Amino acid sequence: MIGLDRAGDIWTVTINRPDKANSLTHAMLVELAEIMEEAQAARAVILTGRGKVFSAGADLDEARAGLAKSDVWESLSGAVAALPGLSIAALNGTLAGGAMGMALACDLRIAAPGAKFFYPVMKLGFLPQPSDPARMAALIGPARTKLLLMGGQKITAEEALRFGLIDRIVAAEEVQEHAQALAADTVAASPDIAQEIKRMCGPA
């Protein structure tokens, strides 16, 4: 249920469970984390989903069985954050729950106009994954992070863009193509230069 296309220096990773809103099982999360660890060799990584939803977060049955508290989420987002190449979340649709972590760990986030964003772990009786609040706050500030995590708000793509949670809104049929275009300059550049620029753009 995870697709991988290694097209030259750009790897495209696709969550492919559209009949279940691309909800994530433990096995899918492990596979995603393993791919991201292997992708250290890639110049750019695009993370996307099949269908109209990027991911609804954890598979509900597995969440109730303990997946919501598993450290596999943190392993995945950590592997994404550690990628030396450019990482792009090409959000074909709604991003919810624990799936937020892998997108927050990416360098760039682009989204289809109809995408919604929410992270309702508190009302479900869970904490967010450890790195997610800090990564979200670095993008949108502490108050807006609390708006989503504590206020339980579901925001639109337009609000997400205004907040700084995403970087661009692109027509749904163009999300993948646009992500490829964003990666083109990085792939064309010297690997050492591109990786050093990424490092320089990180926390001081």
Side-chain angles (χ1 to χ4, degrees):
M1 289 178 277
I2 303 298
L4 174 60
D5 177 20
R6 305 187 191 196
D9 290 320
I10 302 176
W11 290 24
T12 300
V13 183
T14 305
I15 303 169
N16 189 9
R17 200 188 183 200
D19 56 317
K20 297 290 186 180
N22 287 334
S23 59
L24 297 159
T25 65
H26 183 270
M28 292 168 69
L29 290 164
V30 168
E31 186 174 358
L32 282 166
E34 289 174 348
I35 289 171
M36 294 303 170
E37 287 165 6
E38 292 174 12
Q40 296 290 313
R43 299 292 311 283
V45 176
I46 297 169
L47 182 59
T48 192
R50 186 80 62 208
K52 296 183 178 180
V53 175
F54 174 77
S55 177
D59 175 271
L60 288 179
D61 290 337
E62 292 203 19
R64 296 186 190 102
L67 181 59
K69 297 181 179 180
S70 172
D71 60 5
V72 69
W73 300 93
E74 193 73 2
S75 296
L76 171 55
S77 62
V80 173
L83 289 169
L86 183 68
S87 55
I88 303 170
L91 304 170
N92 52 296
T94 291
L95 171 63
M100 189 81 74
M102 67 182 100
L104 291 171
C106 285
D107 298 314
L108 301 173
R109 285 152 295 279
I110 61 173
K116 302 289 193 300
F117 301 83
F118 55 105
Y119 199 158
V121 285
M122 189 178 71
K123 68 173 65 174
L124 297 174
F126 304 116
L127 288 170
Q129 296 307 310
S131 297
D132 290 358
R135 287 197 179 111
M136 188 182 291
L139 292 172
I140 68 175
R144 285 171 169 169
T145 298
K146 292 169 189 169
L147 186 71
L148 269 70
L149 294 179
M150 302 182 75
Q153 295 300 290
K154 180 186 293 187
I155 63 172
T156 63
E158 289 76 14
E159 286 177 295
L161 180 64
R162 192 163 64 247
F163 284 8
L165 187 65
I166 60 174
D167 303 296
R168 190 165 282 173
I169 298 172
V170 182
E173 64 276 11
E174 298 173 6
V175 168
Q176 183 63 31
E177 180 181 349
H178 192 72
Q180 293 276 343
L182 288 173
D185 277 5
T186 290
V187 170
S190 158
D192 292 342
I193 294 292
Q195 289 177 24
E196 181 62 12
I197 289 174
K198 178 167 176 171
R199 186 197 66 78
M200 293 169 72
C201 292

